[in-house]
Structure formats: C-alpha cells, structure tokens
Amino acid sequence: MALPKQPQVISLDPQYIGDVLEDIRRVGQATGTLEVAESAAGRLQARIDVVVETAASAASRPRVLHLEWADPLMCGGHWVPEMTELAGGANCFGDKETGSFPIDWAEVVNSQPEVIILMPCGFDVKRALQDIPLLVDKEGWDSLPAVRDHRVYVMDASAYTSRSGPRLVTGLEIVAEIIHPELFSGMIPEAGAFRLYGAPVKAR
C-alpha cells in the first residue's frame, strides 16, 4: 500500500549536548511545531547555562575518570567528556571531539582520578553496581585519590548519559553535583539516579 505522500527522513546523530538542542529544533521545524521546540530547547539551554556559570566559580577542577565500561575499561566519549568540562571537572581521559575508547588500568592509576563515575552504557544503577568488583579487585585501586576520599559514584547511564536526548541535560546536572557538591545542591532528580559507592542510595 502506497503512502499518501513521500515521507521526510530526518537523521539525528548528535555528538554534543548542543546538538541535541538543535535536533529538537529540527524536529519542530519538520513537524510544524517550531515554537514549541524553541521553547523546550530554550529551557534546556537555560539549565546548561546555570551549570556552566556556577561551575566557573569553582576553586578547583577535580580530575574525573568516567567509565562507560568496566571490562574492558572504556572511557566516555563526546558528550560525556563535555559534561565533565561544563560541570567544572578535568577529564582524565577522552575529550568531546572523540568517541569512547579503551584504556589500560596502569593508565588509570597514573592519572590519579579525584572523582570516579562508573556509567556503563545502557545500565541502571542496580546493574552497574554489579561491575564494581571488577574495579575493586584491581591492583592499586585503594591508592586512588577518589577511593581514599570516598568519591566513587555509580550513575544511571541508561537514563542520563547513554541516550542522546534531552535527559542528557539532567545528566549534566547530576555530574555537576557529583564533581562540585560545594556549589550544587538539589540537582539530582531522584534517589536512583546515582549512588556513592559504599553508601546508601542518596535520599531526596
């Protein structure tokens, strides 16, 4: 059966958080709802701006290790390193111009991360916690500054970092509160969004 008209195919492949906002506008333009799309994108941009402006006042930029996979070890790519930068952290590995890539444990130890965020692609917190032993058993784990200072976190990647949609902005806010709790408070939307390793789920 033939369609009444030729469909328009819009390919969405964002690399950065700003691309997600632009995709919202593109979909709005294509569906005749540009005004609604502009409003939604504007609200998301305002939230991003709050994070960037607040993080700019940070006294330091902690070294952040973001892990998108535990075996083999892989760091985050594109918008994940971008989140770290926007939230006032320094990436131990990766940058917003590159995708995820494997890293060696010796490199991790040498990088001396001050914050570790485990965010296995597509996993929620409960499932991601099952991968923690893969890290704990590695030589030198206890020597890492993030471990000594109890700054190891497990994040709901399925909801906030793996999928290239508007919830990446919420992911940015979560990362900001993780990296700079002295500056950010109340950014975490729900108790199951992340967990401090070795501690109860953060209460709201």
Side-chain angles (χ1 to χ4, degrees):
M1 180 178 178
L3 295 173
K5 65 178 182 178
Q6 185 68 27
Q8 178 185 2
V9 178
I10 303 176
S11 179
L12 307 179
D13 185 25
Q15 303 296 310
Y16 316 115
I17 296 178
D19 293 342
V20 174
L21 273 59
E22 186 58 33
D23 282 348
I24 292 173
R25 297 185 178 97
R26 290 176 62 200
V27 172
Q29 179 71 49
T31 58
T33 58
L34 183 57
E35 184 176 347
V36 175
E38 288 283 6
S39 177
R43 291 193 299 273
L44 291 170
Q45 185 62 60
R47 290 165 60 189
I48 294 170
D49 292 344
V50 167
V51 170
V52 173
E53 292 167 7
T54 304
S57 66
S60 65
R61 296 181 66 85
R63 296 185 303 278
V64 179
L65 171 65
H66 39 76
L67 293 174
E68 281 203 342
W69 209 247
D71 186 19
L73 287 170
M74 296 187 69
C75 69
H78 292 306
W79 58 73
V80 172
E82 182 185 23
M83 285 179 176
T84 300
E85 293 176 4
L86 295 174
N91 291 292
C92 288
F93 300 97
D95 61 63
K96 64 183 181 180
E97 304 302 326
T98 61
S100 302
F101 58 84
I103 53 178
D104 294 328
W105 180 250
E107 294 177 307
V108 170
V109 175
N110 288 337
S111 73
Q112 292 290 285
E114 297 169 281
V115 177
I116 296 175
I117 308 176
L118 179 62
M119 47 176 70
C121 185
F123 288 177
D124 60 14
V125 170
K126 182 178 179 180
R127 174 58 184 85
L129 282 168
Q130 296 177 29
D131 284 353
I132 282 287
L134 297 173
L135 304 175
V136 173
D137 290 343
K138 292 184 180 296
E139 183 177 356
W141 168 259
D142 291 334
S143 71
L144 300 178
V147 177
R148 295 198 311 264
D149 296 337
H150 307 290
R151 301 201 66 187
V152 178
Y153 302 87
V154 180
M155 192 166 167
D156 186 344
S158 178
Y160 302 113
T161 62
S162 296
R163 307 179 192 280
S164 53
R167 295 186 86 183
L168 288 181
V169 176
T170 304
L172 169 63
E173 293 168 338
I174 294 171
V175 170
E177 187 164 335
I178 286 174
I179 296 175
H180 286 296
E182 77 282 8
L183 297 177
F184 297 95
S185 179
M187 308 290 278
I188 315 299
E190 55 190 358
F194 85 101
R195 183 170 179 177
L196 172 63
Y197 171 62
V201 173
K202 184 180 178 74
R204 298 310 305 152

